[in-house]
Amino acid sequence: MLIDFRERRMAIADAEYEESNSGYEIIVRARKKLGQMIITDAKIDGVRAAVVIDTGAQNSIANPMLLRKLRARERDEIVSVDVLGTQLTSRATFLRSLQIGRAEMTNVQIGFADSPIFAALGLSRRPALVLGMNNLRVFDRVAIDFSTRRILFDMPSRRAERDDSRQDVPG
């Protein structure tokens, strides 16, 4: 599965034949469970956590165990609706840092809720986060390769800035 935020498109293709499955800056290994990719090499404000990439989730939701480990204070209320129309209300806060492999996001808004997804994936008793589309948008591209259990991230491009500066130079 390829999500190209730069080109505003999503594609499903066999990774072996997908030519855009190259040039990614960060590649992270994951394990597959119940059709979800779970990344275990993640840190959230310094706390080791499992991260589930969920392209059907509008917002990112963390479990109560992560809330306890972070000792975070919930602030606002957010309402998320998944692709099946299920609505989930959670208390939200901003994280200073979310690291997945070498990729780092800062000032990340997440909600905290005791969602059934954590129990279904066996993640109720350890810090875990379902990373939704609102936070994945910080990347130019995200590719999920289920056959090799890899998630590939393309960091935000500086190409647009370079292209704009070249237009100002007489040629």
Side-chain angles (χ1 to χ4, degrees), residues 91-130:
R91 300 295 297 170
T93 193
F94 284 88
L95 305 173
R96 288 185 307 277
S97 172
L98 168 57
Q99 293 177 299
I100 300 173
R102 292 185 303 118
E104 182 174 9
M105 293 181 268
T106 57
N107 202 30
V108 179
Q109 183 184 35
I110 64 166
F112 291 94
D114 195 10
S115 172
I117 187 70
F118 297 114
L121 294 173
L123 297 172
S124 295
R125 296 184 178 180
R126 62 180 283 206
L129 170 71
V130 173

Side-chain angles (χ1 to χ4, degrees), residues 4-152:
D4 190 331
F5 293 104
R6 192 175 44 213
E7 299 292 325
R8 297 177 186 232
R9 70 181 180 98
M10 186 181 282
I12 298 175
D14 188 339
E16 191 173 312
Y17 300 107
E18 180 61 48
E19 64 185 64
S20 63
N21 196 9
S22 63
Y24 288 90
E25 296 166 297
I26 297 170
I27 300 172
V28 179
R29 282 254 185 239
R31 65 183 172 92
K32 192 170 152 183
K33 185 168 185 180
L34 299 176
Q36 298 292 329
M37 297 293 274
I38 303 172
I39 300 168
T40 55
D41 183 24
K43 281 190 176 178
I44 300 170
D45 284 353
V47 173
R48 236 181 231 297
V51 174
V52 179
I53 303 293
D54 189 351
T55 59
Q58 177 184 10
N59 295 310
S60 299
I61 304 293
N63 66 0
M65 182 58 79
L66 181 59
L67 177 63
R68 280 192 289 269
K69 291 279 186 179
L70 292 175
R71 297 182 183 154
R73 291 184 34 194
E74 304 153 294
R75 297 180 190 157
D76 304 319
E77 185 174 279
I78 57 173
V79 177
S80 302
V81 180
D82 67 17
V83 293
L84 300 174
T86 305
Q87 186 171 315
L88 178 67
T89 302
S90 60
R91 300 295 297 170
T93 193
F94 284 88
L95 305 173
R96 288 185 307 277
S97 172
L98 168 57
Q99 293 177 299
I100 300 173
R102 292 185 303 118
E104 182 174 9
M105 293 181 268
T106 57
N107 202 30
V108 179
Q109 183 184 35
I110 64 166
F112 291 94
D114 195 10
S115 172
I117 187 70
F118 297 114
L121 294 173
L123 297 172
S124 295
R125 296 184 178 180
R126 62 180 283 206
L129 170 71
V130 173
L131 192 61
M133 294 299 279
N134 68 325
N135 292 127
L136 288 173
R137 291 179 200 283
V138 302
F139 299 104
D140 276 354
R141 296 183 302 165
V142 177
I144 302 169
D145 188 340
F146 288 95
S147 63
T148 62
R149 295 186 323 266
R150 297 181 313 157
I151 301 172
L152 302 92

